[in-house]
Amino acid sequence: MISISTLQASELQKIRVASAYLFSLDHARDDSFIENLNLSTIKRAFRTKAKRYHPDRHQDAEPFEIEKRKERFVRIEEAYRVLRSYVPETDSIPSVTNEKRARIIAVGGAKGGIGKSIFSANLAAYLSGLGKKTVAVDLDLGGANLHLYLGETFLKWNINDFLNKRVSTIEDTLVTSKYGPSLIGGDSSQLGASNIGFSRKLKLVRAIKEINADYIILDLGGDTSYNVIDFFLMADLGIILTTCDPASYIEAYNFIKVAFFRKLSRLFGPESELRNKRDIQLERLLEEFTHSPISSRFKMIDELMEEVWEKHPQHINLLQEIIKRFSPSLLVNRVTSQCNVSQVVKRLQDVSRKMLSINLRYLGSIQQQVEIEASARNLVPMITSYPDSMFTRSMKDLVDRLIMN
Ligand SMILES: Nc1ncnc2c1ncn2[C@@H]1O[C@H](COP(=O)(O)OP(=O)(O)OP(=O)(O)O)[C@@H](O)[C@H]1O
Ligand SMILES: [Mg+2]
């Protein structure tokens, strides 16, 4: 695992050159590939290339051809030495948190109107009030309104300016909001604002990860499109909001499931970030499980794992590690007296454990409060307008626990 955001440009360039020699030019350009490099991948690539280019294997070739191969072999050895010096000795999957960059918190949940943006705005305002350098990013590209909840009605710059190259860095779109945090707002009034393609999404993800801050809060759209899920997966901490309504918690479960499937397919499928770990048969199994759950032989991840144990034991550790580390947090919002929070939480935890072996962490709940509607109308975050309200107290309690962990 190599943390690109902590590298100097010259070091990254060295790693890219080395990756081009040991892998390919495409791999060298691919940040997620570089970030996921581990020792065994590097060793395997070195062995393969060394076999192909070792001068002893080509003694019958023309002298100039032997010279070329010798030169290439020296470069391959150098590439191996460079890459080895950047990865730890242990062969593991990427660590969830990186101490040197901002902690990214994503707020998702596949239903609209459940309070994701209100919560994101207040979370950012609270963290900023604690003296933490905080950036709130509106990633609800098709329904951007986070700026309003932070008191900003007009944005000089927004995220589209970065995506459409009107500014050169994402930091150029930062606006200091009235209530503390910096903001990268959105503008959904532009045609196609929410339909960004894969490469622009990667560019955005990379740029957000490099923002210099203590905390970055991502407010997500209310669906399970690839973009929303990929933004959720880039976070160190993923919070899933739900209300007590069945429509909302069923969507919350769907969100968890789709995010988990996406994580699996990004690690093992055609878009694999560990490309040289690709295994077509395993891909087919995962594809069956994640793309056609109704007709699949595997209804639960445990059933799939049994087959992986039997037929692809080399991948079992990585799979188990991914499952263990995929641990989103649940927050129940808009709680009324009719709502049995513990029952909703238990249902979601039970089904996540049974079907996906996922440990869903319960963060807490927030009451339905009329003041929140007033605060949304007045464009002032709750923690500023109603500092002693139940919302503000629940929020502080919850954030304090988040920061401790
Ligand atoms: N705890 C709460 N009590 C009362 N009203 C709330 C609460 N949380 C959110 N709301 C209300 O819900 C409305 C929608 O909130 P918000 O815009 O944050 O939802 P969202 O999940 O971001 O929706 P979308 O997916 O459409 O962006 C707001 O107008 C707000 O007044
Ligand atoms: Mg919203």
Side-chain angles (χ1 to χ4, degrees):
M1 162 75 180
I2 297 174
S3 170
I4 286 187
S5 58
T6 61
L7 294 173
Q8 311 224 332
S10 60
E11 290 180 298
L12 181 57
Q13 185 54 20
K14 241 164 64 180
I15 291 173
R16 288 201 200 283
V17 171
S19 301
Y21 275 106
L22 273 202
F23 301 95
S24 72
L25 266 178
D26 280 349
H27 287 99
R29 290 190 192 111
D30 185 341
D31 286 358
S32 58
F33 172 79
I34 290 177
E35 290 202 302
N36 286 303
L37 271 174
N38 59 40
L39 201 55
S40 71
T41 310
I42 294 168
K43 280 183 177 166
R44 194 157 4 110
F46 174 65
R47 276 197 297 270
T48 313
K49 290 273 160 124
K51 257 192 222 157
R52 193 182 313 156
Y53 290 100
H54 200 289
D56 291 353
R57 291 175 59 100
H58 303 278
Q59 284 170 351
D60 299 337
E62 297 289 332
F64 88 94
E65 183 65 28
I66 296 179
E67 266 321 297
K68 246 170 71 183
R69 295 209 171 245
K70 267 189 194 160
E71 205 179 295
R72 182 75 182 233
F73 187 70
V74 170
R75 301 247 185 241
I76 287 166
E77 278 187 317
E78 170 65 9
Y80 177 59
R81 199 188 53 69
V82 167
L83 292 183
R84 275 209 63 161
S85 69
Y86 283 96
V87 300
E89 283 296 313
T90 48
D91 189 5
S92 65
I93 65 166
S95 140
V96 193
T97 50
N98 176 348
E99 296 302 311
K100 288 194 182 130
R101 64 164 171 79
R103 194 167 185 211
I104 302 179
I105 302 177
V107 182
K111 195 157 181 312
I114 55 175
K116 298 183 292 295
S117 301
I118 291 260
F119 179 75
S120 303
N122 281 279
L123 173 62
Y126 180 53
L127 286 168
S128 167
L130 292 178
K132 307 284 179 195
K133 194 170 173 194
T134 307
V135 178
V137 187
D138 197 338
L139 286 179
D140 185 354
L141 301 176
N145 61 2
L146 185 64
H147 55 289
L148 297 176
Y149 293 140
L150 283 168
E152 301 300 319
T153 47
F154 170 76
L155 291 173
K156 192 165 174 219
W157 301 106
N158 65 63
I159 207 159
N160 300 329
D161 293 318
F162 172 69
L163 290 169
N164 297 329
K165 301 189 181 152
R166 283 189 285 267
V167 294
S168 49
T169 72
I170 198 157
E171 268 99 348
D172 295 334
T173 66
L174 279 173
V175 171
T176 308
S177 74
K178 282 195 193 72
Y179 301 103
S182 298
L183 166 73
I184 296 174
D187 176 7
S188 321
S189 68
Q190 292 184 14
L191 185 65
S194 64
N195 298 322
I196 60 166
F198 187 70
S199 61
R200 286 206 297 167
K201 176 174 62 187
L202 275 190
K203 176 184 160 183
L204 184 57
V205 165
R206 245 179 256 146
I208 290 173
K209 282 185 177 172
E210 281 173 14
I211 293 174
N212 179 10
D214 296 317
Y215 287 93
I216 298 173
I217 311 301
L218 311 179
D219 176 29
L220 305 184
D223 60 67
T224 54
S225 62
Y226 277 154
N227 285 347
V228 170
I229 296 295
D230 286 347
F231 295 145
F232 183 78
L233 291 175
M234 77 183 266
D236 301 302
L237 175 72
I239 300 178
I240 291 167
L241 247 72
T242 182
T243 67
C244 280
D245 294 343
S248 172
Y249 63 74
I250 290 169
E251 286 302 313
Y253 175 67
N254 286 338
F255 190 93
I256 295 165
K257 188 164 100 176
V258 172
F260 178 60
F261 285 178
R262 177 78 173 149
K263 175 114 198 157
L264 288 179
S265 88
R266 275 184 22 188
L267 286 170
F268 291 101
E271 280 181 37
S272 176
E273 292 162 355
L274 307 168
R275 272 181 208 149
N276 43 2
K277 284 207 170 167
R278 273 187 76 174
D279 175 329
I280 300 296
Q281 283 178 333
L282 178 71
E283 271 180 35
R284 288 212 186 103
L285 282 187
L286 286 170
E287 163 115 5
E288 183 185 332
F289 180 59
T290 54
H291 285 71
S292 14
I294 296 179
S295 58
S296 168
R297 284 170 295 148
F298 317 112
K299 300 289 174 238
M300 296 183 252
I301 185 100
D302 278 352
E303 294 166 348
L304 175 90
M305 294 294 274
E306 265 175 41
E307 182 130 345
V308 176
W309 261 116
E310 265 173 41
K311 299 194 174 151
H312 312 275
Q314 71 275 27
H315 298 300
I316 203 79
N317 285 343
L318 189 53
L319 257 177
Q320 281 175 334
E321 194 68 29
I322 291 164
I323 294 169
K324 202 169 87 196
R325 289 189 184 195
F326 185 81
S327 177
S329 296
L330 184 71
L331 176 65
V332 187
N333 189 26
R334 311 197 71 159
V335 172
T336 60
S337 55
Q338 275 102 58
C339 169
N340 186 338
V341 177
S342 46
Q343 200 178 59
V344 170
V345 174
K346 187 171 177 321
R347 270 193 196 153
L348 279 169
Q349 284 179 327
D350 286 352
V351 69
S352 303
R353 195 174 305 114
K354 182 169 166 218
M355 304 306 289
L356 308 169
S357 290
I358 284 173
N359 176 25
L360 183 63
R361 193 171 135 211
Y362 174 51
L363 265 190
S365 66
I366 294 174
Q367 302 292 314
Q368 169 79 16
Q369 279 195 280
V370 279
E371 295 92 326
I372 295 185
E373 283 159 28
S375 127
R377 262 196 317 275
N378 301 333
L379 311 183
V380 185
M382 275 297 279
I383 71 153
T384 312
S385 52
Y386 298 95
D388 298 320
S389 64
M390 207 152 34
F391 173 91
T392 304
R393 274 183 281 130
S394 317
M395 170 97 199
K396 287 182 173 173
D397 193 41
L398 201 142
V399 176
D400 293 343
R401 264 183 287 138
L402 274 181
I403 294 180
M404 292 299 180
N405 283 312

